[in-house]
Amino acid sequence: MTDVRAEAIAVRREAPARALFRLSRPRQWHKAVMLFAAPAAAGALESPVLVLRAAVAAVGFTLLAISVYAINDIRDAPDDRRHPTKRLRPVAARVISPAVAALLGIVTALAGLAITSSLGVSTFALATAYLVAQLFYVFGLKHVAVVDLVIVALGFVLRAAAGGTATGLPVSHWFLLVSLFGAMFLVTGKRKAEHTAVSRPVLAAYPTSWLDQVLTVCLLGAALSYGMWAFQYLGHDAYRELLAISFLPFFTGLLRYALLVSTGRGEQPEHELFRDRVLLIAGLTWAALLTIGLYCA
């Protein structure tokens, strides 16, 4: 209790600039790596121009995400003040006023749309769709069972697709399915972990047995989609065959993560990768096989 009080006092004394930075949730910025997935899967990361275009798109989508976080915190402030940890969010803690948070949301939204528009109509359209979908989520759809899962997963798919349009690279349908099923797998695992750790109204609509069914479907969907993507390159080139072999550590990682979720972990997927040794080794092995198969052929 003493630590919580000390943290609350520190938050109230927080400098406005630092509070705004915290409002933007920098721990979530890693999601922009999805903008590099399409050029990486196409073996195009050797091109500085394409990497730069993907980086510009990543900045644009990160700004759009910051806009959504700001609007979300304004809307959820009354409920956040009753939550043991969310009450420390800048708006809920009254360190940042709703007006300032709204200004941040508007500025970052306009900046994100302006940046993505410089990458072409298709990327701008995907960015707009992302922003609209996330705002619908904030303003009510996050309380609608199933729809909330789909919209969160859709955010990852739109990022992945935008990585292709921003760089002008064709995106495999199997690649998009891997993104969709993989995102649904992680989001569903997060919801299951939150059943016992976090108070979220929509969780009451999700029986654990149903979440387990969705996890199974998404695991199989992600595995089969990745297999179809990887095996389409199988040929006489020894390096390309490594893409097919990469299916094994990919599937192992999915199964291992599903096991962690079944034991109550999975609320923070990005942290589990580094805390679980088997998951980390599987991830590194998959990354190595994928890199050699795509860039050494």
Side-chain angles (χ1 to χ4, degrees):
M1 182 65 70
T2 303
D3 292 339
V4 174
R5 288 179 178 176
E7 191 172 2
I9 293 173
V11 166
R12 285 195 290 270
R13 295 176 178 174
E14 192 174 27
R18 179 176 174 78
L20 281 174
F21 179 70
R22 194 160 59 85
L23 178 63
S24 69
R25 301 190 195 179
R27 291 184 178 181
Q28 301 296 327
W29 293 357
H30 66 275
K31 294 176 181 177
V33 74
M34 286 298 296
L35 275 298
F36 296 90
L45 290 182
E46 295 174 326
S47 170
V49 174
L50 295 184
V51 171
L52 178 60
R53 290 183 67 86
V56 172
V59 171
F61 271 80
T62 299
L63 288 171
L64 294 177
I66 292 173
S67 173
V68 174
Y69 297 146
I71 301 302
N72 178 80
D73 283 8
I74 295 171
R75 186 167 177 80
D76 286 357
D79 292 331
D80 288 347
R81 293 188 182 105
R82 296 190 293 270
H83 192 277
T85 56
K86 292 182 180 180
R87 66 189 182 88
L88 300 177
R89 288 177 173 176
V91 179
R94 296 185 173 87
V95 179
I96 296 295
S97 69
V100 172
L103 180 61
L104 175 67
I106 294 171
V107 170
T108 51
L110 293 176
L113 291 175
I115 289 173
T116 54
S117 68
S118 69
L119 298 170
V121 176
S122 296
T123 305
F124 176 71
L126 290 171
T128 302
Y130 168 83
L131 180 61
V132 171
Q134 297 304 310
L135 289 177
F136 271 116
Y137 176 86
V138 168
F139 283 98
L141 291 185
K142 65 180 176 181
H143 301 304
V144 181
V146 178
V147 176
D148 72 309
L149 297 178
V150 173
I151 290 184
V152 174
L154 180 63
F156 287 90
V157 178
L158 290 173
R159 288 186 184 97
T165 59
T167 55
L169 295 169
V171 178
S172 165
H173 293 163
W174 294 117
F175 169 79
L176 291 178
L177 282 175
V178 173
S179 302
L180 175 61
F181 282 117
M184 281 291 292
F185 179 71
L186 292 176
V187 174
T188 304
K190 181 177 174 65
R191 288 292 184 271
K192 184 176 179 180
E194 289 174 341
H195 246 288
T196 56
V198 178
S199 175
R200 189 189 292 263
V202 74
L203 292 177
Y206 291 131
T208 303
S209 59
W210 183 85
L211 291 174
D212 287 335
Q213 291 175 11
V214 176
L215 279 172
T216 301
V217 170
C218 293
L219 188 153
L220 291 174
L224 291 175
S225 299
Y226 182 85
M228 294 301 295
W229 173 81
F231 279 82
Q232 70 182 335
Y233 292 106
L234 189 59
H236 300 293
D237 191 317
Y239 290 111
R240 290 295 187 182
E241 290 178 354
L242 293 181
L243 291 179
I245 297 174
S246 72
F247 175 82
L248 182 60
F250 179 83
F251 191 50
T252 300
L254 287 178
L255 291 175
R256 180 69 179 186
Y257 185 76
L259 176 62
L260 296 179
V261 169
S262 69
T263 60
R265 294 163 64 179
E267 185 182 344
Q268 296 179 306
E270 63 277 12
H271 293 169
E272 298 300 339
L273 176 61
F274 298 99
R275 285 193 287 189
D276 185 81
R277 184 174 299 177
V278 174
L279 191 58
L280 179 60
I281 292 174
L284 291 175
T285 304
W286 167 76
L289 291 172
L290 196 66
T291 300
I292 296 173
L294 287 171
Y295 293 94
C296 296

